[in-house]
Amino acid sequence: MNIVNLDSIKKYCEVFELTFLHPLIGVVECNEPEKLKPYLINWGFYALFLKDMASCTITYGKTQYDHGDKSIIAFAPGQVCAFEAIPGKDPKFIGVLFHPDFIIGTPLGKKIQQYSFFAYSSNEALHLSPAEFEIIGHLISIIRTELDNDMDDSTHEILCDNLKLLLDYCVRFYNRQFTERKELNHDVLVRFENLLNDYIITGKGPKYGIPSVNYFAGKVCLSTNYFGDLVKRETGVSVKKYIQEKLLEAAKEHLTDPTKSITSIGGILGFQYPQHFVRFFKRMTGQTPNEFRENLRK
């Protein structure tokens, strides 16, 4: 499989024979068959594509990216993705490319890590309604128009503001997916709760360690980021906090049994070393496991 190192927007435009206007930001459009297929892309900048139809499969390692018609897919610097054309489906998309240097020191640059759909672990596209598709297309056209105009002292600020507006709309539509999938989300939460209870009750800790977000995300077949966002939206707390509360509840129950040592309880819950369990318990309760036991006897 061909490896295409896209370390700059100029290189992207050269590889795909597109018009190059600016070294740090660009709007690209494709309505033709792919020239390179299949291939790997090593991204050197942020890329957000508005796709009218799914014309290829996209893979992160062994994980396939979930995308379809009228959707947005996003990539970040340092990510490597495999692309393979779907026979009979020529690509049709418009995209915004921007280098991290373009937004450095701006409000968008300070916030960019908060846009979780750029994360490597995210394999869920933003699926759009026709109206949402039009909004995103309109925002991209504004950026393209600004790039087509002569540059002046306001150009950089206007482009950054419009980029931020574009990404904020993506966040809105991303959240809408959670709302529309509320019944599915509830099913995922039920499965997560059952899996977590089973993990703790059946004593998987000694074999697998402390229950992790990645473990449960894999069990419910979601990316870590999407799973984390789902749980936070539905419960109001992070997955990590949710797991910690469950571990604490189990720890307190074990501590009521005087025949169990602190070391054995920590091991049952997945802590590799007793001192790690002690630190966890004190951080969560303000007292050590032994102090908790002593207070139970009072």
Side-chain angles (χ1 to χ4, degrees), residues 35-279:
K35 295 177 173 62
L36 302 174
K37 50 186 179 185
Y39 55 93
L40 284 168
I41 284 185
N42 185 353
W43 297 95
F45 45 83
Y46 291 99
L48 185 145
F49 296 101
L50 177 65
K51 299 176 68 70
D52 193 33
M53 63 181 293
S55 58
C56 65
T57 60
I58 305 171
T59 308
Y60 287 145
K62 295 182 179 180
T63 304
Q64 194 165 97
Y65 194 105
D66 173 25
H67 69 114
D69 297 344
K70 288 189 168 44
S71 61
I72 291 175
I73 56 176
F75 307 103
Q79 295 180 358
V80 179
C81 313
F83 295 78
E84 187 165 0
I86 299 173
K89 288 192 174 183
D90 292 335
K92 185 177 181 182
F93 64 81
I94 187 169
V96 177
L97 319 174
F98 60 100
H99 195 278
D101 288 352
F102 187 75
I103 60 172
I104 194 168
T106 69
L108 176 58
K110 294 180 175 66
K111 188 182 178 182
I112 191 67
Q113 299 301 326
Q114 297 178 28
Y115 297 106
S116 60
F117 45 82
F118 277 119
Y120 210 167
S121 55
S122 176
N123 61 2
E124 176 82 6
L126 307 184
H127 303 281
L128 305 175
S129 70
E132 292 167 347
F133 188 86
E134 290 298 321
I135 290 171
I136 297 298
H138 175 66
L139 292 171
I140 293 175
S141 71
I142 292 174
I143 295 171
R144 178 165 54 186
T145 299
E146 186 63 28
L147 281 170
D148 288 338
N149 293 333
D150 292 335
M151 302 287 179
D152 58 34
D153 293 342
S154 300
T155 299
H156 182 263
E157 183 177 356
I158 290 172
L159 285 171
C160 286
D161 287 346
N162 279 284
L163 273 176
K164 184 177 181 301
L165 182 61
L166 171 65
L167 299 183
D168 287 343
Y169 264 100
C170 289
V171 170
R172 169 184 279 184
F173 300 152
Y174 186 54
N175 289 336
R176 185 266 305 157
Q177 287 187 186
F178 285 112
T179 302
E180 291 189 350
R181 298 179 183 186
K182 197 164 187 64
E183 185 173 337
L184 175 61
N185 292 350
H186 177 72
D187 291 342
V188 169
L189 285 173
V190 170
R191 288 174 60 199
F192 168 47
E193 177 82 11
N194 291 337
L195 285 165
L196 180 55
N197 286 337
D198 178 72
Y199 194 106
I200 294 172
I201 293 170
T202 60
K204 288 184 169 63
K207 182 177 181 180
Y208 296 106
I210 300 170
S212 69
V213 178
N214 286 341
Y215 175 88
F216 295 108
K219 289 293 184 181
V220 297
C221 302
L222 293 175
S223 71
T224 304
N225 267 23
Y226 191 90
F227 176 61
D229 288 347
L230 184 156
V231 173
K232 180 67 179 291
R233 185 175 178 84
E234 295 296 316
T235 67
V237 298
S238 68
V239 184
K240 185 177 180 180
K241 180 69 172 176
Y242 195 93
I243 292 172
Q244 288 175 340
E245 292 290 350
K246 282 288 185 179
L247 280 176
L248 180 62
E249 181 182 323
K252 288 180 176 179
E253 186 62 34
H254 284 300
L255 286 166
T256 62
D257 184 347
T259 66
K260 293 179 180 178
S261 68
I262 303 301
T263 298
S264 67
I265 293 173
I268 291 170
L269 296 176
F271 291 90
Q272 188 174 3
Y273 302 106
Q275 59 266 35
H276 291 173
F277 170 58
V278 173
R279 282 202 295 268

